[in-house]
Amino acid sequence: MSKQGLDMTSGNPFRLLIVYSFPILLGSLFQQLYNLCDTIIVGRCLGPDALAAVGNTGPMNFLVFGFLYGMTSGFAVITAQRFGAHDEEGLKKSVAMNIVLNAVTGIAITALSCALTMPLLRAIHTPQSIIGWSFDYIFTCYAGIACIILYNGCACVLRAVGDSKTPVYFLVFSSALNIALDIIFIASFGLGVFGAALATVISQGVSGILSLVWIIVKYPMLRVSARHFRVDRRFAFRHLAIGMNMGFQFSITAIGTIVVEGALNRFGPTKIAAFTAAQKVEQLVTVAAGVMGVTIANYGGQNLGAGRVDRIKEGVTKGIIISVAFAVLAAVLAMVFNVQLVSLFLDRGKVDAASWEELRAASWQYLNLTTLFYPVLFVIFIYRNVLQSIGRGFCPLMGGVFELVARSAAAFILPGLIGYAGICLSEPLAWASAAIPLAIAYYYIINRVGRSLHG
């Protein structure tokens, strides 16, 4: 089969994982930088109430868009398997199935999300003073779900055939366009938070269209015709099962963060600000965890398609080594540059000395308690995504349930015993509750898969 991209069914797994993941890592870091700039633009141009209104929609944003990201990634797992098997006809059928399922689920989720926007805002106790702005922002984002799905769907198909670079180029373009549109819509046109949301939707839509054109022009093996859209219920179910499982994993995590938010609110605004800033630092330094998850998912899918379970095992081992190395680096960065990183998100000039010291101490406490567990966080992504890539989506879903239960229980029980530290420890306890069963499930299942393919 004539192909472009990166075939990960042969060659040194360690090198392949590094080569494939590096562009994604750069893109993810750029995305983090964009998110930071976006926050600064909204806060400085519109003021603290507008920033609070946008920040208030964070759990709702994560709930829906996290699900969409997981869903589109899951649909492309079968695509990676067909590519690894050098099955061009199966590859085209999988691409067609991606198109159909993304379109149908996108319409349904858009309608449901828009209808539930105001009820959800009231359910999370949005203050009346900002609920209007919150509604304008998140409703606009939900109305543009089709643009998000178009870009994510194209990016996931490209990664499935080993092209991890092109999605990064479009991500960088999208982020730069988003920042430019933020400035135009907010500062020049005075569109407020609606302008910030509109900038996001337009930039994603433009990148999605460009990605689609790129696929059509550069990847003949991904071009589909009418016959590839013929209904195959079993094939559709396989895509849907993996996609829904991966989507629900993100949603379960989002529910857990909402629960922790509720418990955290008892400690007052200073602790909330410190916790938020510390978690932003954590998201910045641990970005490689998700990158390795995406990498191992496509590596595993391609090699399962090629019947190379031995390479999957080797790749997972190498992936864990790389992930643990990244985890140690992330912990060092978080601890050494704690004050400097937190200062990116908190303006020291706007708080008195005592409050700043409390903010610094609380953020340090969070990072001090969680950084030791970064290796656990990183390996979750390895085990979770490789299990998805070999079609065993139930175990990662249950891992997410264990994580939700542990995070929720810790958030409500530990604060009464050890105070704010209990909120901080809810995160590493949740990670461990997911990592342990996922590791056991992987080693049990991968051996069974190996025996079934070769026995």
Side-chain angles (χ1 to χ4, degrees), residues 10-197:
S10 62
N12 185 295
F14 188 89
R15 179 183 174 278
L16 288 169
L17 294 174
I18 293 293
V19 169
Y20 184 89
S21 65
F22 187 69
I24 304 176
L25 178 60
L26 290 179
S28 298
L29 288 172
F30 193 90
Q31 181 72 46
Q32 290 289 332
L33 178 62
Y34 152 70
N35 288 335
L36 175 61
C37 294
D38 196 45
T39 302
I40 292 172
I41 292 170
V42 171
R44 296 199 173 184
C45 291
L46 301 176
D49 284 351
L51 185 59
V54 173
N56 174 69
T57 64
M60 293 171 58
N61 191 307
F62 186 26
L63 182 68
V64 174
F65 293 110
F67 176 84
L68 293 174
Y69 177 79
M71 181 190 73
T72 53
S73 298
F75 290 162
V77 166
I78 304 296
T79 311
Q81 293 176 1
R82 293 302 86 212
F83 178 79
H86 296 184
D87 177 7
E88 185 165 354
E89 191 66 14
L91 177 64
K92 290 177 181 288
K93 286 179 60 180
S94 180
V95 171
M97 190 60 66
N98 271 263
I99 295 171
V100 172
L101 292 177
N102 279 323
V104 172
T105 54
I107 293 171
I109 293 171
T110 300
L112 183 63
S113 299
C114 289
L116 294 178
T117 297
M118 186 56 77
L120 284 172
L121 285 170
R122 297 191 187 281
I124 62 175
H125 307 294
T126 303
Q128 196 61 36
S129 60
I130 64 172
I131 196 168
W133 282 353
S134 291
F135 178 85
D136 290 345
Y137 180 82
I138 197 64
F139 184 87
T140 304
C141 290
Y142 285 166
I145 280 175
C147 296
I148 308 295
I149 288 181
L150 177 60
Y151 171 74
N152 284 346
C154 290
C156 289
V157 167
L158 285 169
R159 293 189 187 111
V161 298
D163 184 355
S164 61
K165 294 180 181 180
T166 301
V168 172
Y169 301 149
F170 289 121
L171 176 62
V172 171
F173 171 79
S174 173
S175 299
L177 178 61
N178 203 336
I179 292 172
L181 291 176
D182 272 341
I183 295 172
I184 294 171
F185 290 162
I186 296 173
S188 300
F189 294 172
L191 296 180
V193 295
F194 167 73

Side-chain angles (χ1 to χ4, degrees), residues 41 52-53 98 105 143 149 172 231 279 289 318-319 336 338 352 362 391 393 405 440 451 454:
I41 292 170
N98 271 263
T105 54
I149 288 181
V172 171
V231 177
Q279 284 209 316
K318 297 297 192 301
V336 172
N338 169 53
D352 56 63
V405 172
I440 294 171
R451 287 195 296 268
H454 300 293

Side-chain angles (χ1 to χ4, degrees), residues 368-389:
N368 192 43
L369 290 172
T370 59
T371 49
L372 294 174
F373 295 87
Y374 280 179
V376 179
L377 171 64
F378 274 67
V379 299
I380 287 175
F381 287 88
I382 296 292
Y383 291 128
R384 175 183 290 160
N385 283 277
V386 75
L387 284 167
Q388 291 285 8
S389 74

Side-chain angles (χ1 to χ4, degrees), residues 249 316 376-377 379-388 392-403 430-446:
Q249 284 173 36
V316 167
V376 179
L377 171 64
V379 299
I380 287 175
F381 287 88
I382 296 292
Y383 291 128
R384 175 183 290 160
N385 283 277
V386 75
L387 284 167
Q388 291 285 8
R392 301 301 193 275
F394 178 75
C395 293
L397 182 63
M398 290 309 299
V401 173
F402 293 153
E403 188 176 349
W431 301 339
S433 297
I436 294 171
L438 284 174
I440 294 171
Y442 163 73
Y443 289 109
Y444 174 74
I445 289 172
I446 197 66

